[in-house]
Amino acid sequence: MKHVDLIRGRPLKLTDKVYVKHPTLADVCDLDKYENYTYIMMITSDDIADVMWHNSKKLYTDIKSEWLFFIQKALISARGSDVYVVDNNVYRIDSNCVLINSDYRDALNYFLSLDCEYMVMTVGTGDNEQITLRSLNRDGNMLIFNKDNFQFTESFYLQMVEYLRQINDYHPDYYWKKCPTKRGKKMLLEQEYRRRESREKNNRKSNVDLGSLVSALIARGQPYKEIWDYPIYMIYDLYRRLSKVDEYNGTMRALYSGCIDTKKNPINWDKVNWAAIIN
């Protein structure tokens, strides 16, 4: 999605009726701090150590994609249920359909602005077999499925993951590990886990969080009554932009005070430009 659309807070369109929500700052603050973080982590896999070396260092070397890992996590404590299938106004019952657990249901419903259950379905056969989630409407105690129900596919999932990472300024530094053998993948994952443990020991925890960002933006002139309606992406973007402005102002003060010898240390004006695109 274009940068200007993220600044506007435009939701991500999946279908004509289903969009991925772009929460405002107020929306995020209305959630419990850990609930908001948990929802994001449920949808977007955490770094490689948590993705592939999960729960007491159990290696998931046989998982082939983030989508399948998401499905596997969503099936922890999965529930079985009878589903009423509607076909040309005729009801029939499918017994023991598998529903994803309530935590992942709530995370999906929050970002998709839906209120439904999700049933795991397999479509196709052989090499063309694909796992999808189908939404189920609730009518009293009945769960109802028809052909018009929303189908959450791997393609939609990957679009959603990328979008949520963008608007929440979350950039994991991992790549999905691929190796021809489980033994080879296990070695790669063990190395990655050790590197992660080393980084955690050597790096200090950040002293910046969402609350301190909001406080800083208000201190720099953002209207207190209006900032809560800003798209969450805008909060992070404003912080980065103000940092660029400060960098530019510092460079100009040093230049005019004679602290910079531009012959020996020429200024990269493209880098200093505070209106430049921030990657």
Side-chain angles (χ1 to χ4, degrees):
M1 184 173 287
K2 294 185 296 184
H3 181 228
V4 68
D5 290 329
L6 294 173
I7 291 175
R8 288 180 62 188
R10 178 168 288 178
L12 174 67
K13 180 179 179 180
L14 298 182
T15 71
D16 288 339
K17 296 181 179 180
V18 179
Y19 293 78
V20 180
K21 177 181 183 177
H22 189 153
T24 64
L25 174 60
D27 290 332
V28 173
C29 292
D30 285 342
L31 287 175
D32 177 86
K33 174 183 176 181
Y34 296 101
E35 186 178 24
N36 176 62
Y37 176 81
T38 301
Y39 279 176
I40 296 170
M41 290 302 102
M42 282 180 180
I43 305 299
T44 67
S45 298
D46 207 343
D47 72 34
I48 189 64
D50 291 327
V51 171
M52 300 298 285
W53 190 314
H54 198 74
N55 294 337
S56 301
K57 299 184 180 181
K58 177 183 178 183
L59 281 166
Y60 288 100
T61 53
D62 56 341
I63 298 176
K64 298 179 180 179
S65 69
E66 287 185 84
W67 167 244
L68 294 179
F69 184 69
F70 169 77
I71 292 295
Q72 179 163 340
K73 290 186 294 181
L75 289 177
I76 296 173
S77 301
R79 299 157 294 151
S81 178
D82 292 342
V83 174
Y84 291 81
V85 179
V86 181
D87 188 10
N88 294 325
N89 295 323
V90 176
Y91 283 75
R92 62 181 176 83
I93 298 178
D94 273 6
S95 299
N96 297 322
C97 294
V98 178
L99 310 181
I100 66 173
N101 65 54
S102 57
D103 291 334
Y104 279 79
R105 175 202 64 198
D106 292 344
L108 283 176
N109 282 341
Y110 176 75
F111 287 116
L112 298 177
S113 298
L114 297 176
D115 182 17
C116 58
E117 298 283 350
Y118 297 89
M119 175 176 64
V120 180
M121 292 187 65
T122 301
V123 296
T125 57
D127 293 337
N128 296 320
E129 185 176 276
Q130 297 181 357
I131 295 177
T132 67
L133 300 179
R134 295 299 292 263
S135 65
L136 300 173
N137 301 322
R138 186 175 291 280
D139 184 0
N141 293 325
M142 294 193 306
L143 292 174
I144 299 175
F145 168 82
N146 62 56
K147 62 180 181 180
D148 296 326
N149 283 33
F150 173 59
Q151 181 171 243
F152 191 59
T153 64
E154 181 175 5
S155 175
F156 285 159
Y157 169 76
L158 294 176
Q159 292 178 59
M160 185 177 183
V161 165
E162 180 61 28
Y163 180 71
L164 291 179
R165 286 174 178 164
Q166 281 185 302
I167 65 175
N168 290 285
D169 196 39
Y170 174 61
H171 309 286
D173 57 349
Y174 76 86
Y175 296 93
W176 196 262
K177 301 295 185 184
K178 292 185 178 180
C179 194
T181 66
K182 288 186 178 182
R183 182 179 179 183
K185 181 177 283 189
K186 183 175 185 291
M187 291 176 62
L188 287 175
L189 297 174
E190 288 173 340
Q191 292 172 8
E192 186 69 27
Y193 191 82
R194 285 194 292 270
R195 281 196 291 268
R196 180 196 185 220
E197 286 188 321
S198 177
R199 287 197 303 269
E200 288 183 347
K201 289 179 181 179
N202 296 327
N203 293 342
R204 292 185 304 172
K205 291 186 177 180
S206 174
N207 61 350
V208 177
D209 62 11
L210 182 58
S212 66
L213 287 184
V214 175
S215 177
L217 293 177
I218 293 172
R220 291 292 295 270
Q222 294 302 316
Y224 176 81
K225 291 184 178 180
E226 297 176 12
I227 195 171
W228 309 104
D229 294 325
Y230 289 6
I232 192 61
Y233 176 83
M234 191 62 182
I235 300 299
Y236 297 112
D237 189 71
L238 277 171
Y239 179 75
R240 290 191 296 266
R241 186 61 60 189
L242 288 174
S243 296
K244 289 288 289 184
V245 172
D246 289 343
E247 180 184 352
Y248 172 81
N249 289 336
T251 301
M252 297 308 294
R253 283 194 295 270
L255 178 64
Y256 290 133
S257 63
C259 297
I260 299 177
D261 185 343
T262 55
K263 290 184 178 180
K264 293 182 178 179
N265 301 293
I267 297 174
N268 184 341
W269 292 106
D270 289 335
K271 183 178 180 180
V272 174
N273 181 8
W274 61 269
I277 296 172
I278 302 175
N279 295 321

